Protein backbone atom coordinates (compact mmCIF):
# COMPACT_ATOMS: atom_id res chain seq x y z
CA UNK A 1 0.00 0.00 0.00
CA UNK A 2 2.99 2.32 0.51
CA UNK A 3 3.63 2.19 -3.25
CA UNK A 4 -0.01 3.07 -3.94
CA UNK A 5 0.30 6.02 -1.56
CA UNK A 6 3.30 7.47 -3.39
CA UNK A 7 1.80 6.87 -6.84
CA UNK A 8 -1.35 8.72 -5.83
CA UNK A 9 0.78 11.55 -4.41
CA UNK A 10 2.65 11.82 -7.73
CA UNK A 11 -0.57 11.88 -9.75
CA UNK A 12 -1.97 14.68 -7.65
CA UNK A 13 1.17 16.81 -7.78
CA UNK A 14 0.62 16.85 -11.55
CA UNK A 15 -3.07 17.81 -11.07
CA UNK A 16 -2.08 20.51 -8.59
CA UNK A 17 0.40 22.09 -11.02
CA UNK A 18 -2.10 21.80 -13.90
CA UNK A 19 -4.74 23.55 -11.82
CA UNK A 20 -2.31 26.33 -10.93
CA UNK A 21 -1.47 26.81 -14.63
CA UNK A 22 -5.17 26.92 -15.58
CA UNK A 23 -5.80 29.49 -12.83
CA UNK A 24 -2.94 31.65 -14.07
CA UNK A 25 -4.10 31.59 -17.69
CA UNK A 26 -7.72 32.22 -16.71
CA UNK A 27 -6.84 35.21 -14.52
CA UNK A 28 -4.66 36.62 -17.31
CA UNK A 29 -7.55 36.34 -19.76
CA UNK A 30 -9.87 38.04 -17.27
CA UNK A 31 -7.63 41.04 -16.52
CA UNK A 32 -6.01 41.56 -19.94
CA UNK A 33 -8.48 43.26 -22.34
CA UNK A 34 -6.15 42.59 -25.27
CA UNK A 35 -6.49 38.84 -24.83
CA UNK A 36 -9.88 38.95 -26.56
CA UNK A 37 -8.30 40.27 -29.73
CA UNK A 38 -5.35 37.88 -29.52
CA UNK A 39 -7.64 34.86 -29.55
CA UNK A 40 -9.29 35.78 -32.84
CA UNK A 41 -12.79 36.52 -34.05
CA UNK A 42 -14.82 35.25 -31.11
CA UNK A 43 -17.79 37.52 -31.59
CA UNK A 44 -18.14 36.83 -35.32
CA UNK A 45 -18.22 33.11 -34.56
CA UNK A 46 -21.29 33.63 -32.42
CA UNK A 47 -19.81 34.37 -28.96
CA UNK A 48 -20.46 37.88 -27.68
CA UNK A 49 -18.56 39.63 -24.91
CA UNK A 50 -20.87 38.32 -22.16
CA UNK A 51 -20.43 34.76 -23.39
CA UNK A 52 -16.67 35.26 -23.56
CA UNK A 53 -16.68 36.46 -19.93
CA UNK A 54 -18.68 33.39 -18.91
CA UNK A 55 -16.20 31.15 -20.71
CA UNK A 56 -13.21 32.84 -19.02
CA UNK A 57 -14.65 32.62 -15.51
CA UNK A 58 -15.74 29.03 -16.10
CA UNK A 59 -12.14 28.26 -17.07
CA UNK A 60 -10.95 29.90 -13.85
CA UNK A 61 -13.48 27.85 -11.87
CA UNK A 62 -12.30 24.59 -13.43
CA UNK A 63 -8.68 25.54 -12.72
CA UNK A 64 -9.52 26.28 -9.09
CA UNK A 65 -11.35 22.96 -8.76
CA UNK A 66 -8.46 21.00 -10.29
CA UNK A 67 -6.03 22.87 -7.99
CA UNK A 68 -8.16 21.94 -4.96
CA UNK A 69 -8.47 18.33 -6.11
CA UNK A 70 -4.70 18.03 -6.43
CA UNK A 71 -4.14 19.53 -2.99
CA UNK A 72 -6.68 17.24 -1.32
CA UNK A 73 -5.23 14.21 -3.08
CA UNK A 74 -1.72 15.00 -1.85
CA UNK A 75 -3.02 15.74 1.65
CA UNK A 76 -5.11 12.58 1.76
CA UNK A 77 -2.15 10.46 0.70
CA UNK A 78 0.16 11.95 3.34
CA UNK A 79 -1.90 12.34 6.51
CA UNK A 80 -2.29 9.74 9.20
CA UNK A 81 -3.89 6.42 8.38
CA UNK A 82 -7.08 6.90 10.42
CA UNK A 83 -8.43 9.96 8.55
CA UNK A 84 -10.21 9.42 5.23
CA UNK A 85 -12.24 12.67 5.09
CA UNK A 86 -9.91 14.41 2.60
CA UNK A 87 -9.98 11.29 0.41
CA UNK A 88 -13.79 11.27 0.42
CA UNK A 89 -13.87 14.96 -0.56
CA UNK A 90 -11.19 14.28 -3.15
CA UNK A 91 -13.14 11.38 -4.64
CA UNK A 92 -16.32 13.45 -4.97
CA UNK A 93 -14.49 16.36 -6.61
CA UNK A 94 -12.59 14.05 -8.96
CA UNK A 95 -15.89 12.49 -10.00
CA UNK A 96 -17.26 15.96 -10.78
CA UNK A 97 -14.12 16.80 -12.77
CA UNK A 98 -14.35 13.57 -14.76
CA UNK A 99 -17.99 14.22 -15.65
CA UNK A 100 -17.15 17.80 -16.63
CA UNK A 101 -14.23 16.78 -18.83
CA UNK A 102 -16.27 14.09 -20.57
CA UNK A 103 -19.05 16.65 -21.12
CA UNK A 104 -16.57 19.16 -22.58
CA UNK A 105 -15.18 16.51 -24.93
CA UNK A 106 -18.70 15.61 -26.10
CA UNK A 107 -19.72 19.25 -26.62
CA UNK A 108 -16.57 20.01 -28.59
CA UNK A 109 -17.15 16.93 -30.71
CA UNK A 110 -20.77 17.91 -31.38
CA UNK A 111 -19.78 21.50 -32.23
CA UNK A 112 -16.91 20.32 -34.40
CA UNK A 113 -19.20 18.14 -36.50
CA UNK A 114 -22.00 20.73 -36.67
CA UNK A 115 -19.99 23.76 -37.83
CA UNK A 116 -20.55 22.80 -41.47
CA UNK A 117 -24.33 23.26 -41.26
CA UNK A 118 -24.43 26.64 -43.01
CA UNK A 119 -25.42 28.67 -39.97
CA UNK A 120 -21.90 29.67 -38.98
CA UNK A 121 -20.96 30.54 -42.57
CA UNK A 122 -24.09 32.67 -42.97
CA UNK A 123 -23.47 34.47 -39.67
CA UNK A 124 -19.88 35.22 -40.67
CA UNK A 125 -20.96 36.43 -44.12
CA UNK A 126 -23.55 38.74 -42.55
CA UNK A 127 -21.08 40.23 -40.07
CA UNK A 128 -18.41 40.66 -42.74
CA UNK A 129 -20.78 42.34 -45.20
CA UNK A 130 -22.90 44.45 -42.85
CA UNK A 131 -20.89 45.14 -39.68
CA UNK A 132 -17.17 45.20 -40.50
CA UNK A 133 -15.95 48.82 -40.44
CA UNK A 134 -12.27 48.62 -41.40
CA UNK A 135 -8.74 47.97 -40.23
CA UNK A 136 -8.37 51.29 -38.37
CA UNK A 137 -11.49 51.02 -36.21
CA UNK A 138 -11.63 49.89 -32.59
CA UNK A 139 -15.05 48.24 -32.31
CA UNK A 140 -14.89 44.66 -31.02
CA UNK A 141 -16.26 42.94 -34.12
CA UNK A 142 -13.99 44.73 -36.62
CA UNK A 143 -10.97 44.17 -34.38
CA UNK A 144 -11.83 40.48 -34.18
CA UNK A 145 -12.13 40.20 -37.96
CA UNK A 146 -8.82 42.01 -38.42
CA UNK A 147 -7.11 39.62 -36.01
CA UNK A 148 -8.64 36.57 -37.67
CA UNK A 149 -7.72 37.68 -41.19
CA UNK A 150 -4.12 38.37 -40.19
CA UNK A 151 -3.60 35.31 -37.99
CA UNK A 152 -5.33 32.80 -40.27
CA UNK A 153 -4.29 34.50 -43.54
CA UNK A 154 -7.84 34.61 -44.86
CA UNK A 155 -10.24 37.22 -46.21
CA UNK A 156 -13.96 37.61 -45.67
CA UNK A 157 -16.17 34.65 -44.91
CA UNK A 158 -15.99 32.88 -48.28
CA UNK A 159 -13.32 35.10 -49.88
CA UNK A 160 -12.46 38.73 -50.78
CA UNK A 161 -15.66 39.02 -52.82
CA UNK A 162 -17.65 39.23 -49.58
CA UNK A 163 -16.53 42.85 -49.26
CA UNK A 164 -18.06 43.91 -52.59
CA UNK A 165 -20.85 46.45 -51.90
CA UNK A 166 -20.31 45.91 -48.17
CA UNK A 167 -20.39 48.49 -45.37
CA UNK A 168 -16.60 48.74 -45.64
CA UNK A 169 -16.79 49.15 -49.42
CA UNK A 170 -19.34 51.95 -49.05
CA UNK A 171 -17.08 53.72 -46.56
CA UNK A 172 -14.29 53.87 -49.15
CA UNK A 173 -16.37 55.58 -51.83
CA UNK A 174 -13.73 58.32 -52.10
CA UNK A 175 -11.49 55.66 -53.66
CA UNK A 176 -14.10 53.55 -55.45
CA UNK A 177 -11.73 50.83 -56.67
CA UNK A 178 -10.74 49.89 -53.10
CA UNK A 179 -13.01 47.32 -51.52
CA UNK A 180 -10.67 44.87 -49.72
CA UNK A 181 -9.34 45.79 -46.24
CA UNK A 182 -5.61 45.92 -45.61
CA UNK A 183 -5.78 43.01 -43.16
CA UNK A 184 -6.50 40.79 -46.17
CA UNK A 185 -3.23 41.83 -47.80
CA UNK A 186 -0.08 39.74 -47.79
CA UNK A 187 2.61 41.67 -45.92
CA UNK A 188 0.32 43.84 -43.80
CA UNK A 189 1.84 44.22 -40.32
CA UNK A 190 -0.56 46.57 -38.58
CA UNK A 191 0.75 49.78 -40.12
CA UNK A 192 -2.39 51.50 -41.40
CA UNK A 193 -0.33 54.11 -43.25
CA UNK A 194 0.98 51.41 -45.60
CA UNK A 195 -0.59 51.24 -49.05
CA UNK A 196 -1.51 48.04 -50.90
CA UNK A 197 -3.12 49.25 -54.15
CA UNK A 198 -3.00 45.95 -56.02
CA UNK A 199 -4.36 44.04 -53.06
CA UNK A 200 -7.14 46.43 -52.07
CA UNK A 201 -8.39 46.70 -55.63
CA UNK A 202 -8.52 42.92 -55.98
CA UNK A 203 -5.67 42.60 -58.50
CA UNK A 204 -3.15 40.51 -56.54
CA UNK A 205 -1.43 40.09 -53.17
CA UNK A 206 -4.52 39.25 -51.11
CA UNK A 207 -5.54 36.13 -49.20
CA UNK A 208 -7.90 34.15 -51.39
CA UNK A 209 -9.05 31.69 -48.74
CA UNK A 210 -12.23 32.56 -46.84
CA UNK A 211 -12.12 32.74 -43.05
CA UNK A 212 -14.93 30.20 -42.71
CA UNK A 213 -12.72 27.60 -44.41
CA UNK A 214 -9.87 28.70 -42.14
CA UNK A 215 -12.14 28.17 -39.12
CA UNK A 216 -13.03 24.66 -40.31
CA UNK A 217 -9.33 23.88 -40.82
CA UNK A 218 -8.55 25.19 -37.33
CA UNK A 219 -11.24 22.99 -35.77
CA UNK A 220 -10.12 19.96 -37.78
CA UNK A 221 -6.61 20.44 -36.41
CA UNK A 222 -7.35 21.45 -32.83
CA UNK A 223 -10.60 19.70 -31.87
CA UNK A 224 -9.13 16.15 -31.89
CA UNK A 225 -6.23 17.40 -29.76
CA UNK A 226 -8.53 19.08 -27.25
CA UNK A 227 -10.81 16.04 -27.08
CA UNK A 228 -7.79 13.77 -26.66
CA UNK A 229 -6.37 15.92 -23.84
CA UNK A 230 -9.74 16.03 -22.06
CA UNK A 231 -10.20 12.26 -22.33
CA UNK A 232 -6.59 11.58 -21.34
CA UNK A 233 -6.83 13.86 -18.32
CA UNK A 234 -10.12 12.20 -17.33
CA UNK A 235 -8.41 8.80 -17.67
CA UNK A 236 -5.61 9.86 -15.32
CA UNK A 237 -8.18 11.14 -12.84
CA UNK A 238 -10.02 7.82 -13.00
CA UNK A 239 -6.76 6.12 -12.00
CA UNK A 240 -6.40 8.61 -9.14
CA UNK A 241 -9.99 7.91 -8.11
CA UNK A 242 -9.29 4.17 -8.03
CA UNK A 243 -6.24 4.74 -5.83
CA UNK A 244 -8.30 6.98 -3.53
CA UNK A 245 -11.02 4.34 -3.18
CA UNK A 246 -8.39 1.72 -2.35
CA UNK A 247 -6.86 3.96 0.29
CA UNK A 248 -10.30 4.74 1.77
CA UNK A 249 -11.01 1.01 1.95
CA UNK A 250 -7.67 0.37 3.65
CA UNK A 251 -8.27 3.12 6.19
CA UNK A 252 -11.81 1.89 6.92
CA UNK A 253 -10.38 -1.57 7.66
CA UNK A 254 -8.03 -0.04 10.16
CA UNK A 255 -5.04 -1.23 8.20
CA UNK A 256 -1.64 0.35 8.05
CA UNK A 257 0.59 1.03 5.08
CA UNK A 258 3.24 -1.58 4.73
Amino acid sequence: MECMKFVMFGFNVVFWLAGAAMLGVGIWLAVDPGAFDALGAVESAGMDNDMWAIAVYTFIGIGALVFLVGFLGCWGACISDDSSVPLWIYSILVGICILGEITVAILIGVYWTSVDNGGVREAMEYDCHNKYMGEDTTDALSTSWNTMQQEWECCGSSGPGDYTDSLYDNQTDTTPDIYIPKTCCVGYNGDNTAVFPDCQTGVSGFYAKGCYDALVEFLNESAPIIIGIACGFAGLQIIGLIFACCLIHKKSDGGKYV
Side-chain angles (χ1 to χ4, degrees):
M1 294 299 294
E2 190 73 17
C3 178
M4 183 182 298
K5 176 181 177 181
F6 284 113
V7 171
M8 181 178 173
F9 181 85
F11 268 114
N12 286 283
V13 167
V14 174
F15 297 154
W16 194 13
L17 294 175
M22 293 173 67
L23 268 174
V25 172
I27 292 172
W28 168 68
L29 291 174
V31 301
D32 184 0
F36 178 88
D37 298 337
L39 294 175
V42 176
E43 184 172 2
S44 61
M47 182 183 291
D48 58 23
N49 290 333
D50 291 337
M51 185 62 72
W52 173 246
I54 292 172
V56 168
Y57 289 117
T58 299
F59 189 80
I60 293 174
I62 293 174
L65 183 59
V66 172
F67 183 85
L68 178 61
V69 165
F71 174 77
L72 288 174
C74 293
W75 181 29
C78 293
I79 61 174
S80 61
D81 297 340
D82 58 349
S83 178
S84 59
V85 172
L87 289 174
W88 275 112
I89 299 174
Y90 169 83
S91 300
I92 293 172
L93 292 178
V94 167
I96 294 173
C97 287
I98 292 171
L99 291 176
E101 288 154 3
I102 293 174
T103 300
V104 167
I106 292 173
L107 290 175
I108 291 176
V110 171
Y111 178 75
W112 177 28
T113 57
S114 64
V115 165
D116 197 21
N117 62 5
V120 175
R121 182 192 292 273
E122 291 174 1
M124 293 178 69
E125 287 177 350
Y126 180 84
D127 286 348
C128 172
H129 194 82
N130 298 287
K131 295 183 179 180
Y132 177 79
M133 299 178 65
E135 61 278 336
D136 56 351
T137 57
T138 57
D139 68 289
L141 186 140
S142 298
T143 300
S144 297
W145 268 97
N146 289 328
T147 302
M148 178 168 60
Q149 291 178 149
Q150 286 183 267
E151 294 297 322
W152 287 352
E153 297 184 350
C154 58
C155 188
S157 175
S158 301
D162 289 341
Y163 287 110
T164 303
D165 295 326
S166 66
L167 175 64
Y168 174 77
D169 187 10
N170 292 332
Q171 288 178 333
T172 59
D173 282 344
T174 54
T175 51
D177 291 337
I178 292 180
Y179 71 96
I180 298 177
K182 294 178 182 179
T183 51
C184 287
C185 298
V186 178
Y188 175 77
N189 60 2
D191 181 7
N192 289 328
T193 63
V195 179
F196 300 90
D198 290 342
C199 167
Q200 292 195 273
T201 55
V203 177
S204 62
F206 53 83
Y207 300 123
K209 178 173 62 178
C211 291
Y212 172 79
D213 291 334
L215 171 63
V216 172
E217 290 179 7
F218 171 78
L219 289 175
N220 287 339
E221 293 173 357
S222 61
I225 296 174
I226 297 172
I227 293 172
I229 290 174
C231 292
F233 199 60
L236 288 176
Q237 288 180 322
I238 289 173
I239 296 175
L241 183 60
I242 293 173
F243 281 126
C245 292
C246 291
L247 289 174
I248 290 172
H249 179 69
K250 183 67 176 178
K251 290 175 186 289
S252 65
D253 287 344
K256 301 294 183 181
Y257 297 115
V258 295

